[in-house]
Amino acid sequence: MRDRHLVEKKAAPVRPAHHGSVPLGRIADVAGAHAGTGAQVAVTGASLDSRSILPGDLYIAVPGAHAHGADFAASAVSSGAVAVLTDDAGARLLADTLPVPVLACPDPRGAAGAVAALVYGTGERDAAAMPLFAVTGTNGKTTTTYFLNSLLRALGKTTGLIGTIEILAGDEPIPSKLTTPESTDVHALLAAMAERGLGAASMEVSSHALAFGRVDSVVFDVAGFTNLTQDHLDLHGGMDGYYATKAQLFTPARAKRAVVTVDDTWGRRMAAEASVPVQTLSTTPSAARTSGEARADWRVSEIHRDGIGSRFRLDGPHDTSFSVRTGLPGDFNASNAALALVMVAEQLLAAAEGSGTARRAALPAVQAALQHALDAHDPFTLAVPGRMQLVGTAPVAVVDFAHNPDALERALLAVRSPEPAARVIVVFGATGQRDATKRPVMGAVAVAGADVVIITDDDPHDEDPAAIRAEVLKGALAANEGRTPRRLIEELDRRAGAIFRAVELAGPGDTILVAGRGHEVHQEVKGVNVALDDRVELRLALEHFGFPATTAGRIES
């Protein structure tokens, strides 16, 4: 079977339309390589993916899990690559085989960000013209970046968004395959956004992005931290390793300033150990000051339900206060909204300081502008695809991306009706070839938070789906002992079995939560992408049983 890398042509990358070239010799200096006789070769772009090469590009060939990027260099050159940057192993593979210069450096992936910043000119980005916001943490990254994007638009800015669901360059949607694209694509996107006159951009920054250098040589104006809970331990080895990777964002090499949510011990540690100026944010009563701990700079209080969403007060330094509303359910969405608001406030205050106005003197104007945006545009009431997305109202039917224990627990708590007779029915599974230790924990969380638990498949990848379900079920069964028993159901088919069954069991006053996949439109089974959108299937099941369903909107994924 031919490698898909060879036969699939990637969608054309987003690039700036007008920018100059960089001599290969300058690139070699940045990468720690030697250009030789090719020093004057003009490079106009760069890519780590041979399928997205355009004429004039540098192809950066790095070793992968199954093949070396050098194996695809000939394809890259045929698409117009004018040079190749690789490691010693790649250079040996390509010795005397290509009609273009081949440069070798010790770590081409590690050099890719700096090379891309040079090629696209993003190292000289005008931060005042287009400030950059980054959000990291385990849960809440996507919603917070959507909140940032919405609030910045409410302030009159044309915005960019780079995240899990989609990439937006102004009003142009671009499907997203990774939480954060490769560093060469990130720098090209930022250059294109600046060229189009965008006024701000927000980006999700995952631990994978930091570990694999996808945001190298990008310096964010404000970095935000949501929380840290169990996830991705297959990559990081443990929570300390996971934390250390996230902490890279809160250093001068990657950010100018930060807003850190200090609702948990990881957040308090992040705030204490960050080497950039930090504003702290407390959003839950449990995060209130204890003996010996300083009060957070910004504090959420007076949270109360408002429809399915909530209203709250956000208090800050020097008697600053905001009245805030979000139409998304759950206290965690109040936390996400507060984080977005403080991040934008920090950027506006920093801009005022940069223009010579003292921070305290700038606060009243910043407060007035932001409160007007909140009141006039309600920016935190929006549909975030696959994040607490409402599909039906009687029963309440919600699709959420919750795919780890903490997110599932929060989602179950958020959808629980105050009516005593109302039940919660949850459909979920666990992903294959990922952190297996969270599977029984998620089973236990589901039993604690739902009345009917339907365990099915998520994306099994190359694992045996039955074995994954068994691990989840084991945790659920153990948690079900010695308590009012929950109804546990195992369904092999997520579409026709689990989701259909959940709606069949529901009454108009119940709540159905379909968790784990959110905005995703394919289920990967043994390397095959099977079309499956939880929102579509849940809507069809509701209609089949005569329940009202919300109007289908644009599928952003």
Side-chain angles (χ1 to χ4, degrees):
M1 179 178 174
R2 296 176 67 192
D3 194 298
R4 283 179 290 175
H5 194 95
L6 286 173
V7 299
E8 293 180 3
K9 186 66 177 176
K10 192 176 181 180
V14 175
R15 303 281 185 90
H18 307 288
H19 71 286
S21 63
V22 176
L24 187 61
R26 287 186 62 195
I27 292 172
D29 291 341
V30 167
H34 179 61
T37 58
Q40 296 308 311
V41 169
V43 175
T44 57
S47 180
L48 284 151
D49 191 330
S50 64
R51 298 165 296 178
S52 64
I53 290 292
L54 298 180
D57 277 2
L58 171 73
Y59 173 49
I60 305 175
V62 302
H66 305 293
H68 198 293
D71 294 336
F72 313 107
S75 175
V77 172
S78 70
S79 295
V82 295
V84 177
L85 176 66
T86 187
D87 59 5
D88 289 336
R92 287 193 296 271
L93 284 170
L94 298 176
D96 302 319
T97 64
L98 297 176
V100 300
V102 177
L103 283 62
C105 72
D107 181 13
R109 178 175 285 280
V115 166
L118 173 63
V119 170
Y120 295 114
T122 48
E124 302 168 359
R125 177 180 63 85
D126 184 353
M130 191 181 79
L132 296 182
F133 299 84
V135 182
T136 198
T138 305
N139 301 313
K141 295 187 297 295
T142 297
T143 301
T144 303
T145 55
Y146 269 80
F147 282 169
L148 281 165
N149 191 64
S150 184
L151 178 57
L152 290 163
R153 282 177 175 259
L155 290 169
K157 295 183 179 293
T158 305
T159 59
L161 177 71
I162 302 174
T164 305
I165 297 169
E166 62 183 344
I167 297 168
L168 292 172
D171 292 324
E172 179 187 352
I174 303 158
S176 177
K177 299 299 183 184
L178 299 170
T179 306
T180 314
E182 292 287 5
S183 58
T184 50
D185 296 328
V186 167
H187 285 279
L189 278 165
L190 293 178
M193 289 177 178
E195 182 182 68
R196 297 178 190 188
L198 271 62
S202 307
M203 185 184 304
E204 290 183 55
V205 178
S206 66
S207 60
H208 286 71
L210 291 161
F212 298 131
R214 293 176 188 153
V215 289
D216 283 0
S217 296
V218 179
V219 180
F220 296 95
D221 294 281
V222 185
F225 177 80
T226 59
N227 50 62
L228 199 73
T229 61
Q230 181 179 350
D231 209 357
H232 305 305
L233 301 191
D234 51 320
L235 172 66
H236 302 294
M239 288 299 293
D240 282 324
Y242 187 25
Y243 165 85
T245 302
K246 294 284 191 186
Q248 294 177 32
L249 184 61
F250 302 94
T251 62
R254 299 189 184 275
K256 296 177 182 177
R257 60 194 61 81
V259 179
V260 176
T261 309
V262 291
D263 294 343
D264 59 28
T265 56
W266 295 108
R268 291 189 283 276
R269 179 178 170 186
M270 191 73 76
E273 296 181 357
S275 52
V276 296
V278 171
Q279 288 284 296
T280 54
L281 168 66
S282 168
T283 74
T284 65
S286 61
R289 181 180 61 175
T290 60
S291 178
E293 289 184 359
R295 185 174 69 164
D297 300 304
W298 296 83
R299 302 163 303 281
V300 168
S301 64
E302 300 179 10
I303 301 179
H304 57 86
R305 291 281 292 267
D306 182 13
I308 65 169
S310 61
R311 288 187 180 272
F312 62 91
R313 196 178 83 186
L314 176 66
D315 296 319
H318 308 299
D319 298 321
T320 305
S321 184
F322 294 100
S323 175
V324 191
R325 177 181 184 271
T326 174
L328 274 64
D331 286 354
F332 56 89
N333 276 316
S335 299
N336 295 333
L339 177 58
L341 180 56
V342 177
M343 289 177 68
V344 174
E346 281 302 301
Q347 186 273 321
L348 294 174
L349 290 168
E353 288 178 309
S355 64
T357 303
R359 181 185 181 90
R360 185 167 185 173
L363 264 172
V366 168
Q367 178 181 358
L370 288 171
Q371 189 64 62
H372 175 74
L374 295 173
D375 295 341
H377 299 283
D378 198 15
F380 302 142
T381 298
L382 72 163
V384 181
R387 270 61 177 179
M388 299 304 288
Q389 187 167 350
L390 191 68
V391 178
T393 55
V396 172
V398 175
V399 171
D400 190 64
F401 192 54
H403 61 283
N404 58 55
D406 180 69
L408 184 60
E409 181 178 16
R410 291 177 182 226
L412 287 166
L413 183 62
V415 301
R416 172 67 71 178
S417 168
E419 297 298 325
R423 299 177 303 159
V424 172
I425 302 168
V426 64
V427 175
F428 78 107
T431 310
Q433 295 181 293
R434 299 295 186 269
D435 177 14
T437 63
K438 68 183 182 183
R439 295 172 186 172
V441 181
M442 291 179 68
V445 165
V447 164
D451 303 285
V452 180
V453 176
I454 303 177
I455 296 168
T456 187
D457 295 341
D458 194 298
D459 285 323
H461 299 297
D462 290 330
E463 273 197 70
D464 176 14
I468 299 172
R469 294 195 304 272
E471 291 184 62
V472 178
L473 189 59
K474 181 179 179 180
L477 288 168
N480 215 20
E481 294 180 0
R483 60 176 303 154
T484 302
R486 305 309 199 210
R487 184 172 181 181
L488 300 181
I489 301 170
E490 182 181 7
E491 286 283 357
L492 280 62
D493 188 312
R494 187 178 183 98
R495 174 193 287 118
I499 295 176
F500 193 89
R501 186 75 181 279
V503 178
E504 182 182 33
L505 293 172
D510 293 333
T511 297
I512 302 164
L513 172 66
V514 181
R517 304 186 66 254
H519 66 285
E520 295 174 354
V521 296
H522 292 96
Q523 184 181 45
E524 187 185 334
V525 183
K526 300 292 183 182
V528 177
N529 283 332
V530 180
L532 176 60
D533 186 325
D534 286 353
R535 297 164 295 183
V536 171
E537 301 305 328
L538 183 53
R539 185 174 289 113
L540 289 172
L542 288 168
E543 292 171 349
H544 176 84
F545 286 102
F547 293 125
T550 58
T551 302
R554 180 173 72 93
I555 301 299
E556 293 86 346
S557 30

